[in-house]
Amino acid sequence: MPDTDDHQLYQRAVAVMPGGSTRSTLFVAPHPPYAVSGKGAEITDVNGHVVIDCNNNYTSLIHGHADPEILQIVSEVAAEGTAFGLPTRYEVEMAETLRARTDGIEQWRFCNSGTEAVMMLIRAARAYTGRDVIVRFAGSYHGTYDAVVSPQAQGVPAAVSETIVEVPQGDIDAVEQALIHHRGRVAAVLIDLMPNRAGLVPARVDDVARLADLTREHGALLAVDEVITFRLEHGGLHTRYGLNPDLISLGKVIGGGFAVGAIGGRAEILSSFSPLSDGAVAWGGTFSANPVTMAAGLAALRRFSPSAVRELNDRGEALRTRLRDNGVDANGSGSLIRLIDDNPRALWWKLYEAGVLTGTNGLLALSTAMTDEHLDAIGDAVITVRNQMSD
């Protein structure tokens, strides 16, 4: 007999998974609801509660749930085989699409998540430069790889701290000092131009320009993590800054709702992975660039045209303006909004009860499936809940 509510499912979950959870980012005490289905901009949970999905699997579902066009393409491709021990034309088309879309980032490799993309990016930087040290900003989230979490995190070897320099968020002076102190040892500086975990505040244009100059001066690579922010411009957020990154990591929206990751960069840098060269970096992945993911991603990106990107960003700006005009502290840009609150758990539950699913840290990610009615309802719910919590 199927479970009738989330409490029953959670009791089963805690018996077979630590804390009943596989994804730390989804857990909200006492335990999260369980999804049953999604269609367009809405999700129905196991209790029959319907919510507008402003989480969109942490920004990845740019066209919402069960998009008919993507499902049709996936069905056709999957019927021919879901994965092979051979490459397919779909990965070639995806690499060509990303090169054109990013104004010429030359070459690409694919994997299965944003975390894996950052891992591969760091390997590429170290292999190309022959250097070990990575400089990154405290508070930015780049996945769960040892090199990009806090050195104090449990399970991270002490030796990792010898090759990672963590500087305060947005502190370019500290980056310069790190490059001087570790002169000739820094492989790359890793930056998210609008880090969600650090409050979704866009980097300053002048800071980014200075950072680019510093990396060139010291022979380090400039690596931009766009796993989340790629949706904000047709070619990625870095194009808004006029930036030409040496390496870039992608994920989420480029998979069309399926597991995906990618890195792009100059051909000379990614040549470290070429099987045609001596001593090539070996990096596999059983399901990397599988035809289902690549075909779904291509369909999603075709639909997310320059005009579609602008329209969704405009709708996000309008919603953020409405929230701010009504006293809600909201950061972000375009289709990404971050609600700033001292009690994110209480905010999450009250919004969920009011029919809006956000990220557990107050993140809202819009999708093209949202109607004006959805956006009005989201604004109404956030304003009402915040007023209730401030009384």
Side-chain angles (χ1 to χ4, degrees):
M1 181 178 179
D3 298 288
T4 57
D5 59 43
D6 56 3
H7 298 292
Q8 293 182 35
L9 274 172
Y10 184 66
Q11 291 306 309
R12 290 172 57 191
V14 293
V16 290
M17 292 181 284
S21 178
T22 286
R23 294 172 65 186
S24 300
T25 49
L26 298 190
F27 187 81
V28 55
H31 64 80
Y34 288 78
V36 170
S37 64
K39 184 174 182 180
E42 299 179 352
I43 288 177
T44 302
D45 70 20
V46 72
N47 296 321
H49 184 52
V50 179
V51 293
I52 302 170
D53 189 3
C54 287
N55 180 307
N56 279 301
N57 197 21
Y58 276 91
T59 80
S60 62
L61 301 174
I62 197 67
H63 300 303
H65 296 275
D67 179 80
E69 179 184 343
I70 294 176
L71 288 181
Q72 178 63 35
I73 290 171
V74 165
S75 176
E76 293 171 0
V77 173
E80 297 175 347
T82 58
F84 305 96
L86 293 170
T88 71
R89 66 179 177 87
Y90 296 104
E91 66 190 274
V92 179
E93 292 178 14
M94 177 61 85
E96 291 171 338
T97 296
L98 292 176
R99 183 173 63 182
R101 197 173 179 114
T102 56
D103 295 331
I105 292 180
E106 293 178 299
Q107 294 199 333
W108 295 85
R109 281 179 68 91
F110 301 103
C111 51
N112 296 296
S113 70
T115 285
E116 190 181 348
V118 172
M119 291 169 64
M120 186 159 49
L121 178 152
I122 290 174
R123 179 73 65 81
R126 287 172 168 164
Y128 175 72
T129 63
R131 301 174 175 185
D132 294 335
V133 176
I134 303 294
V135 177
R136 60 178 174 80
F137 293 92
S140 292
Y141 178 75
H142 300 288
T144 52
Y145 181 38
D146 286 355
V148 293
V149 298
S150 170
Q152 286 73 48
Q154 292 189 34
V156 176
V160 168
S161 63
E162 298 175 6
T163 58
I164 302 298
V165 177
E166 189 176 69
V167 300
Q169 187 68 227
D171 191 339
I172 308 304
D173 287 340
V175 174
E176 183 173 17
Q177 290 304 310
L179 289 167
I180 292 171
H181 182 74
H182 298 277
R183 189 180 298 275
R185 296 184 56 222
V186 176
V189 177
L190 178 61
I191 185 172
D192 182 334
L193 297 169
M194 194 177 74
N196 171 38
R197 296 287 180 91
L200 215 64
V201 177
R204 288 165 33 90
V205 173
D206 291 347
D207 286 345
V208 174
R210 184 180 169 203
L211 184 61
D213 289 341
L214 284 170
T215 52
R216 282 193 296 269
E217 178 185 341
H218 288 268
L221 302 182
L222 180 56
V224 180
D225 183 351
E226 290 237 38
V227 170
I228 285 180
T229 59
F230 189 70
R231 61 157 48 216
L232 295 177
E233 295 289 345
H234 185 252
L237 184 58
H238 71 275
T239 63
R240 188 183 297 177
Y241 290 82
L243 197 61
N244 294 308
D246 297 302
L247 287 166
I248 183 173
S249 56
L250 303 183
K252 300 199 184 283
V253 299
I254 70 165
F258 290 81
V260 73
I263 66 166
R266 300 203 315 268
E268 62 183 299
I269 298 173
L270 293 194
S271 66
S272 299
F273 291 100
S274 173
L276 302 178
S277 62
D278 294 333
V281 174
W283 196 289
T286 302
F287 292 99
S288 294
N290 72 80
V292 173
T293 294
M294 295 290 97
L298 286 165
L301 290 177
R302 279 195 296 269
R303 289 258 301 285
F304 204 43
S305 62
S307 60
V309 174
R310 287 193 298 270
E311 181 180 351
L312 193 61
N313 280 344
D314 288 346
R315 301 179 92 195
E317 295 296 347
L319 176 57
R320 183 169 25 257
T321 298
R322 182 189 172 200
L323 295 178
R324 287 174 172 172
D325 288 348
N326 283 273
V328 178
D329 193 358
N331 291 340
S333 177
S335 63
L336 296 177
I337 300 170
R338 173 76 184 274
L339 305 177
I340 307 302
D341 193 270
D342 294 334
N343 193 344
R345 174 189 167 190
L347 178 65
W348 190 95
W349 276 112
K350 287 183 178 296
L351 285 174
Y352 192 80
E353 291 164 359
V356 174
L357 172 64
T358 70
T360 50
N361 64 353
L363 175 68
L364 284 74
L366 306 189
S367 74
T368 64
M370 291 176 176
T371 64
D372 290 342
E373 289 73 22
H374 286 127
L375 293 169
D376 288 343
I378 293 164
D380 291 344
V382 172
I383 293 166
T384 299
V385 165
R386 286 300 299 270
N387 287 339
Q388 292 172 346
M389 292 178 67
S390 61
D391 288 343

